[in-house]
Amino acid sequence: MTELNCVCMFSNFYPPVVSGSSIQVASLCRELVKRGVCVVVITAKVVDGSAEYEFIDGVHIYRLPAFRLPKIALGFNFPWISFTFTPGNVRRIKRIIEKHDPQMLHLHNYMFDLAFSAVLMRMQTKIPLVITIHTYLKHPSYVLNIIFFLIERIMLTFPVIRQADCIICPDWNVQQYTGLAFGNVPTALVPYGIVVQHPEKEMVTKIKKRYGLVGKRIILSLGHLHDMRNRKDLIEAMPQVLKEFPNAVLFIAGAVYTDFPIALVSKLGLQNSVIFAGSVPHIDIPALLKIADLESHWLNQNEPAKTSLGIASLEAMYLGKVVLAAANPDTYGNGLLQNGENIVFVKPGNTIQLAQTIVALLRDDVRRSTIGQRASQTIHEHFSWDSVCEQTLRVYQQAIQKKASK
């Protein structure tokens, strides 16, 4: 077996950028360092004041000069989309590769421009490349979805995906999409790693006071607001929930990239019962989960049978919270997620049924506690970072051996 001394990660998003994939990449890097692997991260410099080079938690972080693109609907108005694929940055990356001499290149997210840099380095250096597809190109808009389809087939299938030695898929839905969209490409199913620190009592008290949550029944919804995750159903369910629980609050933690939910809240007169907290530091998430009665959000770009749980939902389950989701029960394997046992599945578009489900759960403390305990056990058993890191290392070794045998 080839000794793995160094891995080079390519990811347009990395802390201090707050996103599910950036946190996953940072966590994987730390786990690899614990196992004695040198880890190098190449990312985009999109946050003002962030250093071009840092050494944090044993990870070498290089941030490339980047041109921040304006917020556009095609990119869900996400503010961190940037352009880095320039001759100067290619030369910078080449010097970083030569300096650290990695045995593996690992690209995260295939639709951003660092994908082209990663593929170029793979071609020039012959170092094996694996790609993790954290999410795929899909949009609820019919017109934009056609544009995504063309971009994916013309610019990303052969130039990026088919250049990889293996595609890492975090769940069954992504793996199925990969096969349908890109054909017969080698894939490996490696779930996300989930770990959340239990919050200190002082932090919980601080969070309650900061947002006026003392004495409230809290429906927490974690994740950025955009067209694919607009919280429409949750907001429309709130009037019915408030009839039974006037002290209920829908607390949405995430940057707002669409005006729709704010306008909907105003239309329904829910300004005092829906809190748009904006992007919150990841260190605040455990305290928010601690005080929440429920966590609920879902993507609406696909029908539930093709939808996965978000990282935020898995983190909520880790801390023993009941999660409401519109997702595929077999996302992580047959029988792992069981409705009413360790999760509660809901049907999108049915706000009356959603409100009834929320009310029933808020009324039954014992049921919420039981589901939450089972949820926590599920995450601890199947999504530990120790297991996820070992599975990732096996993918690396297989890619290295595959490359060596050619």
Side-chain angles (χ1 to χ4, degrees), residues 49-186:
S50 57
E52 292 188 3
Y53 169 78
E54 287 184 298
F55 186 67
I56 301 176
D57 296 330
V59 180
H60 299 274
I61 306 166
Y62 293 90
R63 297 187 178 91
L64 305 175
F67 174 72
R68 285 267 296 275
L69 301 180
K71 297 179 182 180
I72 55 176
L74 194 65
F76 305 104
N77 294 313
F78 196 59
W80 306 123
I81 297 178
S82 61
F83 183 78
T84 67
F85 193 54
T86 65
N89 278 339
V90 170
R91 289 192 293 270
R92 288 184 179 92
I93 294 170
K94 186 66 178 296
R95 289 195 294 268
I96 293 168
I97 297 293
E98 291 173 347
K99 177 180 178 179
H100 294 280
D101 190 27
Q103 290 84 47
M104 173 59 58
L105 307 178
H106 188 165
L107 169 67
H108 297 266
N109 291 312
Y110 68 105
M111 70 282 290
F112 302 114
D113 72 336
L114 271 177
F116 301 110
S117 296
V119 168
L120 184 60
M121 290 302 105
R122 192 255 193 192
M123 294 172 65
Q124 291 183 355
T125 65
K126 309 303 180 184
I127 300 171
L129 169 68
V130 300
I131 300 175
T132 293
I133 297 183
H134 292 272
T135 186
Y136 44 81
L137 281 176
K138 201 76 173 178
H139 201 286
S141 165
Y142 177 77
V143 174
L144 292 181
N145 213 32
I146 292 176
I147 296 174
F148 277 167
F149 176 85
L150 295 174
I151 291 173
E152 193 172 65
R153 297 307 187 272
I154 297 171
M155 298 179 61
L156 300 174
T157 298
F158 184 79
V160 177
I161 294 295
R162 289 188 171 272
Q163 304 307 313
D165 296 279
C166 185
I167 305 298
I168 295 178
C169 306
D171 57 56
W172 181 86
N173 294 322
V174 173
Q175 192 172 44
Q176 184 184 51
Y177 180 87
T178 300
L180 292 173
F182 307 118
N184 187 23
V185 295

Side-chain angles (χ1 to χ4, degrees), residues 226-239:
H226 48 67
D227 290 335
M228 287 198 308
R229 193 159 52 185
N230 58 25
R231 312 313 205 276
K232 177 179 182 292
D233 290 351
L234 284 169
I235 294 170
E236 291 183 341
M238 283 303 293

Side-chain angles (χ1 to χ4, degrees), residues 214-258:
V214 177
K216 301 292 186 180
R217 303 302 300 270
I218 302 166
I219 304 160
L220 179 62
S221 189
L222 296 172
H224 299 316
L225 275 154
H226 48 67
D227 290 335
M228 287 198 308
R229 193 159 52 185
N230 58 25
R231 312 313 205 276
K232 177 179 182 292
D233 290 351
L234 284 169
I235 294 170
E236 291 183 341
M238 283 303 293
Q240 189 67 33
V241 173
L242 290 168
K243 289 180 181 179
E244 300 291 333
F245 293 92
N247 63 338
V249 170
L250 173 58
F251 188 100
I252 303 174
V256 180
Y257 304 129
T258 173

Side-chain angles (χ1 to χ4, degrees), residues 3-9 28-41 53 55 57-62 96-97 99-104 393 396:
E3 184 178 1
L4 183 66
N5 297 316
C6 185
V7 175
C8 182
M9 304 282 184
L28 176 59
C29 290
R30 288 193 294 269
E31 290 298 318
L32 289 169
V33 168
K34 289 179 183 178
R35 288 159 173 78
V37 178
C38 171
V39 180
V40 178
V41 172
Y53 169 78
F55 186 67
D57 296 330
V59 180
H60 299 274
I61 306 166
Y62 293 90
I96 293 168
I97 297 293
K99 177 180 178 179
H100 294 280
D101 190 27
Q103 290 84 47
M104 173 59 58
L393 285 169
Y396 290 168

Side-chain angles (χ1 to χ4, degrees), residues 180-356:
L180 292 173
F182 307 118
N184 187 23
V185 295
T187 63
L189 186 60
V190 180
Y192 284 133
I194 303 297
V195 63
V196 185
Q197 297 295 324
H198 288 269
E200 297 180 357
K201 186 177 180 180
E202 292 77 9
M203 178 60 77
V204 172
T205 301
K206 182 179 178 181
I207 292 293
K208 281 185 176 181
K209 290 182 178 179
R210 181 189 303 170
Y211 296 106
L213 299 174
V214 177
K216 301 292 186 180
R217 303 302 300 270
I218 302 166
I219 304 160
L220 179 62
S221 189
L222 296 172
H224 299 316
L225 275 154
H226 48 67
D227 290 335
M228 287 198 308
R229 193 159 52 185
N230 58 25
R231 312 313 205 276
K232 177 179 182 292
D233 290 351
L234 284 169
I235 294 170
E236 291 183 341
M238 283 303 293
Q240 189 67 33
V241 173
L242 290 168
K243 289 180 181 179
E244 300 291 333
F245 293 92
N247 63 338
V249 170
L250 173 58
F251 188 100
I252 303 174
V256 180
Y257 304 129
T258 173
D259 295 330
F260 171 79
I262 296 175
L264 182 59
V265 165
S266 178
K267 177 183 177 182
L268 297 176
L270 296 171
Q271 293 90 334
N272 295 326
S273 301
V274 179
I275 298 174
F276 295 99
S279 183
V280 302
H282 195 253
I283 59 173
D284 290 353
I285 299 302
L288 286 169
L289 287 169
K290 178 70 175 179
I291 62 178
D293 293 280
L294 309 166
E295 197 281 331
S296 182
H297 78 276
W298 52 84
L299 296 172
N300 55 284
Q301 86 262 40
N302 265 325
E303 61 269 26
K306 296 181 180 179
T307 302
S308 307
L309 289 181
I311 294 172
S313 293
L314 296 173
E315 290 179 338
M317 293 172 68
Y318 181 96
L319 287 184
K321 293 299 172 179
V322 177
V323 167
L324 277 68
N328 180 1
D330 297 326
T331 299
Y332 305 105
N334 186 30
L336 187 64
L337 300 178
Q338 298 185 35
N339 188 32
E341 295 293 321
N342 54 8
I343 194 170
V344 175
F345 288 113
V346 297
K347 294 181 179 180
N350 192 332
T351 55
I352 294 177
Q353 186 180 63
L354 174 60
Q356 292 172 343

